[in-house]
Amino acid sequence: MASFHEKSSSNNSNEKIVSSGVGAAHVLDERRRIALAEIDDAKFSWFHAKVCIVAGVGFFTDAYDIFAINIASTMLGYVYGHGKSTTDTWTHKCLQSNRQKLNKSQDLGVKVATPVGTLVGQLLFGWLADVVGRKKMYGIELMVIIVATFAQALSGQAAAVKIIGVLVVWRFIMGIGIGGDYPLSAVISSEFASTKIRGRMMTSVFASQGWGNFTAALVAFIITAAYKNSILNEPSVTQLNSVDFMWRLLIGLGAVPGCVALYFRLTIPETPRFTMDIERNIDQAAQDIRTVLTNKTDGHVDPELLVQRIEAPKASWADFREHFGQLKNFKILFGTAYSWFALDIAFYGLGLNSGIILQAIGFGTPPTTGTRGVYDNLSNICIGNLILSAAGLIPGYWVSFLFIDSWGRKPIQLMGFTMLTILFIIMGFGYDKLTETASAKKAFVFLYCLANFFQNFGPNTTTFVIPGEIFPTRYRSTAHGISAASGKLGAIVAQGGFSLLKDIGGTNQFVKHILELFAFFMLTGIFSTLLLPETMGRSLEELSNEDQDGFVKGAKGPANYTAGPSTTA
């Protein structure tokens, strides 16, 4: 197949169009090629860095808000849970539980509410971004996150409405905003990126998740240390008022980076691909490209003048069915959606329950009792999460960043799913041996960190990147939202299943079998990856599976029309 830009280098975009016939369509088609070539061939600039930072701050906030609940749920249990007596079957001693905790339904509710909201937000905002525009939606989802985050921190207990119920509602609403961030950030960063650096730009945006996860654990650790004396001076473990301040601070601080990024999101320009292919305004798109890449604003397109709209494929339900009804296109959508579903089964199954897994293997369990035990437990959970983030999550993202534009997306995803299958088989089937002794438990934690590493140097990164590249402009955000929502369905299934299954046969006794199930889903992810083509080094138009010769059929607008100034710097 000829390169999309092969024919576009020598055309003059100042040609005079005197009709809307075949000649006019040809000239407009060539103008579109030239404009898109400028984006795809552009060198990395401050504007590209700004896109990465503005989009990345959103993902930082998303990850902070999602994974802070992993620690905050333990704090909520101390304040609003109920203590109970348990029997240690190994020593036959009756022990009074030092740690109050949320019951199974409450814990599941606060953890699964956000993924459910995220699923809704990914579908809703993904569709709206293709219909209304990327720019018009960008920032709205961040406002939703900020409001819902503050509302959680200010939630109160009442006779009619319990605080856990209030938190579930606000976390669902926050999830809708977080869901909107996925397709919007992916599509905006991909549509502004040049071909050679597109993978690294999108990966740097997504890698902010790792820092968000790490920061949530770090902030929790700092808050716990700051409130140490207050915790130790509490009258009893059933009256931990200081912990009520702690979880509110932990969650509420998640709104700060969102507030910082909001202005920049609201002022980011519309992507030229949306302006050209969906709004069909080739002159405005050409001028936007010039403004963005050269920081020059001469040749402004007067909004009061009649706009000539190009005739090109238009989004509609009938067109959507026709496009994805073709096997070559459907298998790509299925491949991106199922790969993300399979990955998130394990990613969120582990990420939202890391504290439970660490306790299940006895790693970091506090030997102390009373209020000292409360402090030690919270401190250990924070330290454990910091170790898991620093040792596995963050390095995985940035190794992907280094190799995604040289190895390619598909090899990284295949390698990641393969390594995860092997690691979960070892951790699941060798669980009993790996938790027998202190040294064996350290080996288990190492394998756990390695699994985190290959999730991010693998499918967790590529399942975000590929859907942002591989679909036509008019469906790019919608299809990315569908793929991402499939992932969140996996997160919901994982969280619900983890909660229901983990205590079969005794407290945390079924964890090893859950790890075995994770191995099965990683294996299926290998096969879904085989359905996908490689996207590295190819323009978004080449990847759309649509013939770009004659993509523009004609024009609607003034009969006599002079094209705007060239976008060439």
Side-chain angles (χ1 to χ4, degrees):
M1 179 179 177
S3 170
F4 172 63
H5 302 308
E6 208 169 80
K7 302 179 182 179
S8 61
S9 59
S10 62
N11 292 78
N12 183 351
S13 63
N14 285 315
E15 294 188 46
K16 180 99 171 177
I17 300 171
V18 296
S19 71
S20 58
V22 176
H26 173 73
V27 173
L28 287 169
D29 210 27
E30 291 301 298
R31 288 194 63 213
R32 177 175 177 270
R33 288 174 180 272
I34 292 171
L36 293 173
E38 290 210 38
I39 302 174
D40 289 340
D41 298 337
K43 294 182 179 179
F44 186 78
S45 66
W46 164 243
F47 179 78
H48 292 115
K50 178 182 175 182
V51 170
C52 292
I53 294 168
V54 173
V57 170
F59 268 95
F60 175 94
T61 305
D62 298 345
Y64 182 102
D65 291 335
I66 290 172
F67 292 103
I69 198 64
N70 186 33
I71 301 169
S73 63
T74 303
M75 297 177 179
L76 286 165
Y78 282 129
V79 184
Y80 302 105
H82 301 284
K84 63 179 181 180
S85 295
T86 58
T87 302
D88 185 342
T89 56
W90 295 102
T91 60
H92 304 289
K93 293 180 180 179
C94 183
L95 303 174
Q96 177 66 32
S97 174
N98 294 311
R99 185 174 68 86
Q100 294 174 280
K101 60 182 180 180
L102 301 178
N103 62 41
K104 186 179 294 186
S105 297
Q106 292 172 326
D107 185 68
L108 176 61
V110 296
K111 288 181 178 178
V112 85
T114 301
V116 172
T118 303
L119 186 152
V120 174
Q122 286 163 338
L123 293 174
L124 177 63
F125 279 91
W127 172 69
L128 286 173
D130 279 339
V131 174
V132 179
R134 285 74 158 123
K135 174 181 171 59
K136 290 179 181 177
M137 289 293 103
Y138 213 38
I140 293 177
E141 88 291 355
L142 200 55
M143 293 180 195
V144 173
I145 295 171
I146 292 168
V147 171
T149 302
F150 273 126
Q152 290 175 68
L154 299 174
S155 296
Q157 181 88 305
V161 182
K162 300 301 181 184
I163 191 169
I164 301 302
V166 175
L167 287 174
V168 167
V169 172
W170 281 115
R171 289 194 68 77
F172 170 79
I173 295 172
M174 182 186 74
I176 293 175
I178 290 174
D181 217 18
Y182 279 75
L184 282 164
S185 291
V187 169
I188 285 174
S189 57
S190 73
E191 291 184 350
F192 274 123
S194 60
T195 303
K196 291 182 179 179
I197 62 170
R198 190 174 61 232
R200 278 170 287 172
M201 274 188 65
M202 297 180 73
T203 301
S204 67
V205 170
F206 197 62
S208 301
Q209 273 197 341
W211 294 111
N213 195 322
F214 179 84
T215 303
L218 179 61
V219 170
F221 178 76
I222 293 171
I223 291 172
T224 301
Y227 276 85
K228 178 179 179 180
N229 290 334
S230 298
I231 295 172
L232 297 179
N233 292 328
E234 295 286 10
S236 71
V237 294
T238 59
Q239 191 177 342
L240 296 167
N241 294 331
S242 56
V243 179
D244 197 43
F245 288 90
M246 293 167 60
W247 72 262
R248 293 177 189 276
L249 275 173
L250 174 60
I251 290 178
L253 287 171
V256 174
C259 292
V260 172
L262 184 58
Y263 169 77
F264 298 99
R265 288 212 167 185
L266 294 174
T267 56
I268 203 165
E270 182 57 87
T271 70
R273 281 183 164 94
F274 179 88
T275 303
M276 192 181 310
D277 287 357
I278 299 179
E279 291 187 334
R280 301 162 176 227
N281 188 343
I282 196 169
D283 293 313
Q284 187 63 58
Q287 182 53 45
D288 289 346
I289 294 169
R290 180 178 178 82
T291 301
V292 164
L293 298 182
T294 68
N295 200 30
K296 295 178 182 178
T297 57
D298 54 307
H300 177 67
V301 178
D302 189 343
E304 298 300 321
L305 295 178
L306 290 175
V307 175
Q308 186 184 56
R309 304 286 180 182
I310 63 172
E311 291 188 35
K314 186 176 182 180
S316 67
W317 175 237
D319 182 70
F320 183 89
R321 285 183 299 173
E322 181 182 352
H323 181 81
F324 289 104
Q326 301 175 55
L327 179 60
K328 66 177 183 177
N329 297 324
F330 174 76
K331 72 176 185 179
I332 290 174
L333 181 59
F334 178 81
T336 58
Y338 184 83
S339 296
W340 209 330
F341 172 85
L343 180 276
D344 273 7
I345 289 278
F347 184 75
Y348 282 90
L350 293 181
L352 292 177
N353 299 285
S354 56
I356 292 173
I357 291 178
L358 289 172
Q359 290 171 12
I361 64 174
F363 188 81
T365 301
T368 50
T369 59
T371 55
R372 180 74 195 192
V374 172
Y375 169 78
D376 287 344
N377 187 58
L378 290 174
S379 180
N380 286 345
I381 290 174
C382 295
I383 293 171
N385 278 278
L386 283 170
I387 292 170
L388 296 178
S389 295
L393 288 173
I394 294 174
Y397 283 119
W398 292 103
V399 174
S400 284
F401 174 85
L402 292 175
F403 290 102
I404 197 164
D405 280 324
S406 55
W407 283 17
R409 288 64 154 154
K410 189 172 181 178
I412 290 176
Q413 185 161 310
L414 282 171
M415 180 268 301
F417 271 130
T418 302
M419 290 301 300
L420 289 169
T421 302
I422 295 169
L423 288 169
F424 283 124
I425 286 174
I426 295 172
M427 287 192 291
F429 289 96
Y431 183 86
D432 292 333
K433 291 292 184 181
L434 288 168
T435 56
E436 275 185 349
T437 64
S439 58
K441 289 173 182 176
K442 292 179 181 178
F444 183 94
V445 172
F446 172 76
L447 292 172
Y448 187 94
C449 290
L450 208 56
N452 282 335
F453 175 81
F454 281 108
Q455 281 177 333
N456 294 318
F457 181 37
N460 191 42
T461 298
T462 54
T463 53
F464 172 82
V465 172
I466 294 173
E469 303 176 300
I470 208 166
F471 301 109
T473 300
R474 64 189 184 280
Y475 298 126
R476 186 168 293 126
S477 184
T478 301
H480 190 285
I482 292 171
S483 302
S486 299
K488 286 304 162 287
L489 180 61
I492 294 164
V493 169
Q495 188 56 45
F498 201 108
S499 178
L500 294 172
L501 297 176
K502 72 181 182 68
D503 292 330
I504 293 177
T507 302
N508 295 326
Q509 290 301 302
F510 205 76
V511 168
K512 62 181 178 182
H513 299 303
I514 293 175
L515 295 171
E516 293 164 6
L517 287 172
F518 289 168
F520 168 76
F521 281 103
M522 297 305 98
L523 180 63
T524 63
I526 295 174
F527 295 104
S528 63
T529 301
L530 297 175
L531 298 173
L532 303 174
E534 179 53 62
T535 62
M536 179 183 67
R538 300 171 65 189
S539 75
L540 298 181
E541 284 64 42
E542 285 182 83
L543 293 169
S544 69
N545 261 352
E546 292 184 314
D547 187 1
Q548 298 299 309
D549 288 325
F551 186 83
V552 178
K553 307 299 182 186
K556 295 179 180 180
N560 293 315
Y561 167 80
T562 303
S566 169
T567 61
T568 305

